Amino acid sequence: MNLIIRPAIDSDIPAIAAIYGDHVTHGLASFEYEAPSEDEMRKRYQAITKGGYPYLVVCEDNVVIGYSYAGSFHSRKAYEKTVENAIYLKPTAHGKGIGKTLLKALIEECSHRGFHEMIAVITKLDPPVSIILHERTGFSHAGTLSKVGYKHGQWLDVVYMQKTLKPAL
């Protein structure tokens, strides 16, 4: 496997939109019902990066197979050193350790940028793949909200997980 993790660029948006669109349409990780257009995904990408947050892609043989970013946890000033993460992979990239490698890179980049806490908001699924991924990268459980999302004919729980980062001095 020839993997490269790098900052996302504008030309990655079609691949990012396709990956996310698959999760929206077929999965439960996103609570959106309709896949956003490439233009909408470009606007979201620009807002994240203009806000000083990292947005990374993982490529295998120069093809984007996943992405991750951190953004504002909440808009109020007191939260400015706390970020919320997101990570999405193509289905073919699951179960290979790629998500863990990508999440570690995001954690490192957020630490380097001086963020203090990272929050993961995860749909509780069976098997709990995202929960296990976050546990393996040092996140701890911070709480569960029961039946707060409804998608594909079922009520879904959301798990909050948290990790203290080690900001650069």
Side-chain angles (χ1 to χ4, degrees), residues 6 11-12 15-16 19 57-67 90:
R6 60 168 174 76
S11 61
D12 295 326
I16 290 168
I19 292 166
V57 293
V58 58
C59 301
E60 182 177 29
D61 299 323
N62 295 318
V63 175
V64 174
I65 59 169
Y67 70 97
K90 282 185 170 186

Side-chain angles (χ1 to χ4, degrees), residues 43-100:
K43 288 176 190 173
R44 294 178 188 188
Y45 158 75
Q46 290 170 344
I48 293 289
T49 56
K50 284 180 183 175
Y53 301 102
Y55 204 119
L56 306 174
V57 293
V58 58
C59 301
E60 182 177 29
D61 299 323
N62 295 318
V63 175
V64 174
I65 59 169
Y67 70 97
S68 184
Y69 63 87
S72 174
F73 175 62
H74 284 294
S75 62
R76 295 209 166 68
K77 182 74 173 163
Y79 292 111
E80 73 180 358
K81 294 295 182 182
T82 300
V83 293
E84 180 179 333
N85 75 352
I87 183 167
Y88 293 95
L89 300 175
K90 282 185 170 186
T92 56
H94 289 232
K96 300 177 181 178
I98 297 168
K100 185 176 180 183

Side-chain angles (χ1 to χ4, degrees), residues 133-146:
L133 167 66
H134 284 80
E135 287 172 342
R136 289 181 177 166
T137 51
F139 284 75
S140 58
H141 290 260
T144 300
L145 302 175
S146 299

